Amino acid sequence: MDKKAQKNQALINAEARIAALEAELKAARQLAPEHTSNTTALADAESWLRRIIIKLFDKDDAATLKDALGALGAFLDVDECILARVHETDLSVQLFWQKQPDPQRLRNLAQINLTHMPDAHKKMLQGKARIDNDVRGGGYANANAEKLISHLGIGAYITVPVLHHGRLHSFLAVLQRDKPRHWHANDIHVAETFGTVLTLALSRQQAKLDLSTSQERFQNAMAATRDGIWEWNLLSHEVYLSDGFYRMLGFEPHEFPPSLENLTKVIHPDERPWLEKFITIGNSTRKFKHSGSTREVRFQHKDGSTIWCFVRAKFTHVDNQNLPIRIVGVNSDISKFKAVQEELSIAKTLADSANQAKSEFLARMSHEIRTPMNAIIGMGHLLSDTRLNRDQKDYLTNIDQAANALLSLINEILDFSKIEAGTIVLEHTHFDLADTLNKLAKKTAPIAEKKGLEVLFHMAPEVPHFLKGDALRLRQALLNIIDNAIKFTEKGEIQVNISSAENNKDYVALRFEIRDSGIGMSPQQISELFTPFMQVDGSSRRRFGGSGLGLTVSKHLIELMHGTIAVTSDVNKGSVFTLTARFGHSQIGSIPMRDKSQRLRHLNTLVVDDNKAARQILTNLATHLELNVSAVGSAQEAYDLLKQADQTGSNPFDLVLMDYRMPHIDGLTASHVIKNECQLSHIPAIILVSAHHRDEVFKIENSACVENFISKPISQSHLFDAIAEVFGDSVFETDKDRIPAEKIAETLDNCHILLAEDNIVNQKVAVGILKKMNVKVTVANNGQEAIEHLNSNPCNTFDAILMDMEMPEIDGYDATRMIRAGQHCATIPIIAMTAHAMRGDKERCLQAGMDGYITKPAKPDLLYHTLANFIQKQISQQKHTG
């Protein structure tokens, strides 16, 4: 309810009260003559209330209110009148009148609270008046009340509650001092009516004060703000413009009367079509799409300049059809911001041009420098093949090292310039992760060995060997971090652990952890680690060289691979770099697939390595191949354990995985002792594990004592293949699948094979191998031709099909599915032949309906054995069904 409605309601209540008094007056006049005095009193009350109400509603300032309270006291012939505001149990006197002014008495009255008059408080909460004709005779609520009221000398009183929104707001009290008084009904009616009207007058006074304060605040805000405020009435088309609006455009209010026409004139010509469209919508349908909007609009200043304004507009009122009828807006001057924005745009364009020029310069200069550097390095290699004395060789080595270091620096600068220019694009090609790590190991091992360090690589068994991505950039990112680890590590080892972070149908996410035992870093050094050209030790006496770009380049490369890089480190305790990167699934590979067999699981294997971390890595790989593994940390421990197992006779060792580089007794010496001096009845096979190249190791005299060699880093697949080469392929086959060697030639003699192969060289190789066993071969150049050959001949024409996987028109997978789905020769043995394989490819072949799987280049014995196996099975099945 608004203030005007409240005022009308109060008048209605007051008039209703007066009407009630008039009714009582009329009734009193009809009574006996002895009641004439009561009738006169009612008439006087009626007349007095009319005068007071008119006076209060005509003028309700503080003086008028106080005069009205005094008039009430005089009319009722009481000593004091009080209007008090209620705050829970406390009271605050708003108006006070005394017949005999006494300031001290007012201070004493202010000490009264509602706990001193509980009955009156209860009545007030119920909306009823409380009448006490004799305060002393009626008793007191408590001792404090008795003391205070007796001191004040209150003899009788009336309290009238004033409710606001149903709650106790204030009350009116009329007091008689020192003696009792009998209060008449008209006294109570006058007090109640007066209290209601007086409270309404006070409320009006407060409302006027609040409105005045609000208006003052609004005017102050308008004077202080730099924004321009406007309002548009969509029905009357009246427009309001604030003083700030005029100031913003340089006008005085009298120069620019507010109207839509004048508003259109100060809008920039390019903005007027938008405003006219907006006005058209407002004048017609008023169906705006939004309740408010923002827009940057240009205005024309009085001096002819352009003012950019950020305009915020909102609809504030709607009619009964929920259509807007008024819109209010605020214009903020953003001209300076737009000027700065334009300057920044120009500066950015200039900076981009300068950056582009710098990148082009770096690229051009790196090319110009790289060309003679390649010549220097190349000539150095040629010179190294000539006869040189020791000093000359030393000089040449220094030249080669310096040239390669400079070339590496040039490459880093070029990569950094590409990163800044955003021109690095990653390749998405198939690659072998194990091969990538092997190249990385060969690159870092010589540097590490010079410092007496070892770089250990461990790829978890669940990590896919073959991925799709940029192997070169991955190797570059890892190499920068591993080089740093070697640079800042004086003793110990660097561990590179690769594990699977996520593997779903869309991508494979790998986690690379590079852990060193070097000098470590402080939190401040870590925070600046990836800043270009920053060094961990940036002083002029720094011990460690470098451009400070390697880690910056690595970070950007990893981010391009949708990965992250994080660092944890403690000073003098080493650092751990953790990288993640995403790769696509690969459908090709280069490592042959073989099946693990029951015989492989029974190989008793001894791991010998002095390095605890390397020993654990090798043990884990062997355990995942289901070998029975034991591990020791020295050659002497290996001798003792081998002798002990050999003497018991129950579980002698079949295989020793021997580290080459060990203190006291190296791996080759230990292998010679095991084979020739330990006097073992069951001599195990030995596979040597080393970070050195095979040629370097096998130049040594004792190299004949080992059966095979594996270069670090070792993957599960490499270990698997090394064991296969030592024990023969038969170790991976079950007895039930084997066909006696003497029956292979007999089974294949005069067989007819359909070869589906698109490569002419591979066709000739396969035909040549098969003809040695008197096998007849029909060649199909693709899957479509293979199907046509099969369907155009009787079912017993071909004994088996050798199917290439990747062929034009119809590949091996689809051709196999079509043959299996057909009615002609659907059960013929089909053996897959492909140059590439990865884990999962064999399953794909079997799912397509193939019977076997051979990788290229196929070993003749394996090809003969596989074909003979499946042909013999087919013959046996035909005899059984026939």
Side-chain angles (χ1 to χ4, degrees), residues 271-323:
E271 307 283 358
R272 288 173 187 170
W274 162 79
L275 179 64
E276 290 170 358
K277 181 179 179 181
F278 192 83
I279 292 173
T280 301
I281 296 173
N283 289 334
S284 56
T285 62
R286 291 186 284 134
K287 293 182 178 179
F288 296 95
K289 294 183 179 181
H290 305 287
S291 62
S293 63
T294 59
R295 182 184 174 92
E296 292 182 357
V297 180
R298 285 167 291 175
F299 289 82
Q300 288 183 313
H301 196 272
K302 183 180 178 179
D303 62 11
S305 61
T306 298
I307 301 293
W308 276 97
C309 289
F310 183 74
V311 180
R312 296 179 293 273
K314 183 176 179 62
F315 299 110
T316 57
H317 293 77
V318 295
D319 58 16
N320 54 8
Q321 297 180 356
N322 205 32
L323 294 176

Side-chain angles (χ1 to χ4, degrees), residues 120-178:
H121 187 201
K122 183 177 180 182
K123 287 281 189 180
M124 290 180 198
L125 293 176
Q126 295 173 353
K128 298 178 181 180
R130 174 73 165 90
I131 304 156
D132 196 332
N133 297 321
D134 185 359
V135 175
R136 294 174 182 172
Y140 301 96
N142 50 55
N144 289 334
E146 179 181 6
K147 180 179 179 181
L148 182 60
I149 295 174
S150 298
H151 179 68
L152 291 171
I154 299 175
Y157 68 84
I158 299 174
T159 57
V160 179
V162 178
L163 303 180
H164 184 63
H165 296 304
R167 299 182 63 185
L168 181 62
H169 177 269
S170 56
F171 71 89
L172 173 69
V174 292
L175 308 178
Q176 183 69 45
R177 293 178 57 182
D178 299 329

